Amino acid sequence: MDTALDQPDVARRPTLRRTLVAYVALMKLRVVELLLVTTAPVMVLAQNGLPDAWLVVATLIGGTLSAGSANAFNMYLDRDIDRLMNRTRNRPLVTGELTDRQALVFAYVSGAVSIVWLGVFANWLAASLSLAAILFYVILYTMVLKRRTEQNIIWGGIAGCFPVLIGWSAVTGSLDWAPVILFLVVFLWTPPHYWPLSMRYRDDYASASVPMLAVVRGGTVVGVQIILYAWATVAMSLILIPVAGMGVVYTLAALGAGAWFIIESHRLYGRLLRDETPAPMRVFHSSISYLTLLFVAVGIDPLLPF
């Protein structure tokens, strides 16, 4: 008679669907979404109108593969600390849905495909910038800065600024001051976007010995830094108005969404000063909404006559 021990463990056996879901998780597509939000509108601005539809699609595909590759490398390199943090315990290398080798092969292949894809269907400047973004995120942030300094997210965040340059260069084959300003907007935005998240998961980062600013500094210090970077982000966004000749839609979005982002940053600091529950995720979510509204305006503004 067959016993339970003789039966295959169907529940735990890998399936094609579960493996595909694991590969998608490896790419961190929720993060990639935000990167793509900054790519397409910049292509409209670069064209000063609607760019070729296939070029937009091809650039977004290449950008997705590029960011997915960087995120896969990140998960491979951080698999040890991911096991220690509650927010990352369900990642595929922690649960065993994928092996280390599968993740590493996927990272290399998707990265290589993204570079060739952008080179063929956009241009080799866009492809080179894609390679630079991967190297910045994997080497500078993940391997060098993340576990060594509280400045990790400031300089490591440069990788997330490259989609702006990639989108512009895909259309024009060159770079200009407008994409550089938007690059700096994303650069300045990244710390006040990420630091509230690190406040929310402070214990996780502390348990993994990752020196995020919220782990090594007091809450009020982090709050002040968030305010300063939020103000700097909004100020940089306004510089685009004279440089790129932006119109009413962008100006209103930059001022209105920027004011909301700054107010939420000040509210967080006020709660920290009063020793109230800080609710840092309000700033985190408002930062996402701010960047989304700003770049939607970047894409709409060139299409309007005012």
Side-chain angles (χ1 to χ4, degrees), residues 49-304:
L50 292 175
D52 179 76
W54 167 244
L55 179 61
V56 174
V57 171
T59 304
L60 294 181
I61 291 173
T64 299
L65 291 171
S66 175
S69 169
N71 289 328
F73 275 118
N74 174 265
M75 281 201 195
Y76 172 79
L77 293 167
D78 278 353
R79 63 196 185 282
D80 57 332
I81 60 176
D82 282 348
R83 292 185 172 91
L84 303 176
M85 299 195 293
N86 289 325
R87 64 181 288 263
T88 55
R89 283 181 179 172
N90 291 323
R91 288 181 174 174
L93 293 183
V94 178
T95 62
E97 295 288 345
L98 295 175
T99 66
D100 294 351
R101 183 176 182 276
Q102 285 175 311
L104 197 57
V105 169
F106 177 83
Y108 275 113
V109 170
S110 58
V113 170
S114 75
I115 295 164
V116 173
W117 177 277
L118 286 171
V120 171
F121 294 109
N123 54 61
W124 290 104
L125 175 58
S128 299
L129 291 167
S130 174
L131 174 60
I134 295 172
L135 294 177
F136 260 93
Y137 190 68
V138 175
I139 297 176
L140 183 66
Y141 175 64
T142 305
M143 298 178 67
V144 177
L145 297 175
K146 184 173 182 178
R147 307 192 195 199
R148 290 181 172 87
T149 173
E150 65 190 50
Q151 299 288 309
N152 47 21
I153 200 62
I154 296 175
W155 304 108
I158 290 175
C161 308
F162 275 90
V164 171
L165 304 183
I166 293 169
W168 184 280
S169 64
V171 172
T172 66
S174 62
L175 294 175
D176 206 336
W177 281 112
V180 171
I181 289 169
L182 288 171
F183 178 99
L184 293 173
V185 168
V186 180
F187 172 74
L188 293 167
W189 167 87
T190 301
H193 162 68
Y194 199 87
W195 281 334
L197 185 70
S198 71
M199 292 177 71
R200 169 66 177 82
Y201 294 103
R202 181 183 183 279
D203 292 341
D204 265 2
Y205 286 114
S207 67
S209 300
V210 178
M212 291 297 177
L213 188 66
V215 174
V216 299
R217 303 287 182 180
T220 54
V221 173
V222 180
V224 168
Q225 292 296 310
I226 289 173
I227 287 174
L228 293 175
Y229 273 91
W231 275 97
T233 301
V234 175
M236 183 59 65
S237 73
L238 296 177
I239 295 175
L240 186 67
I241 297 171
V243 169
M246 305 304 288
V248 175
V249 171
Y250 177 83
T251 302
L252 291 176
L255 290 171
W260 177 32
F261 184 26
I262 289 171
I263 288 169
E264 287 296 340
S265 300
H266 279 273
R267 284 177 176 169
L268 173 62
Y269 180 61
R271 292 188 189 98
L272 292 166
L273 282 179
R274 296 188 297 270
D275 288 327
E276 297 175 359
T277 303
M281 296 305 286
R282 283 182 59 112
V283 179
F284 175 78
H285 292 300
S286 70
S287 71
I288 294 174
S289 299
Y290 162 75
L291 197 72
T292 301
L293 290 171
L294 187 75
F295 274 86
V296 166
V298 167
I300 293 176
D301 202 274
L303 305 177
L304 301 175

